[in-house]
Amino acid sequence: MHNPPHPGEFIADVYLEPNGISGRVLAQKLDVAASTLSRILKGTSRVTPEMALRLSKTLGRSAESWLARQDAHDLWLARQTVDLQGGVVKLKLAAA
């Protein structure tokens, strides 16, 4: 699996840069502090469910799709660092 972009990178590449919109303008439309959006655009903060709702209303796409983008990015990062070879073992369960 390739590295899925952080939602902030996606927002910048798809919405802001092509349309000449600044992060400050988008933050105003989202009704959040510019610093809050800036952290998302830089990839240092996650898209929360609340932010997903705001992004959905302001930019379109469903809130679920914004959260799915965040989850895909987070899962990719975890796969790069989590060691499943050590003590993690499969639990044997009776058939349901």
Side-chain angles (χ1 to χ4, degrees), residues 24-81:
R24 189 167 296 282
V25 167
L26 179 57
Q28 290 172 340
K29 301 295 182 189
L30 292 167
D31 194 27
V32 298
S35 59
T36 299
L37 181 62
S38 177
R39 287 190 298 276
I40 291 172
L41 294 176
K42 290 178 183 175
T44 59
S45 287
R46 302 181 80 251
V47 170
T48 63
E50 178 185 332
M51 182 59 77
L53 291 170
R54 292 171 185 271
L55 290 167
S56 179
K57 182 170 183 178
T58 303
L59 297 177
R61 300 180 182 262
S62 68
E64 292 82 1
S65 73
W66 289 109
L67 292 174
R69 285 189 172 281
Q70 184 66 62
D71 285 344
H73 177 75
D74 292 348
L75 184 57
W76 185 87
L77 287 176
R79 283 186 171 131
Q80 309 312 303
T81 58

Side-chain angles (χ1 to χ4, degrees), residues 81-93:
T81 58
V82 175
D83 178 13
L84 298 177
Q85 301 301 315
V88 179
V89 296
K90 184 172 178 94
L91 179 62
K92 295 180 182 179
L93 302 171

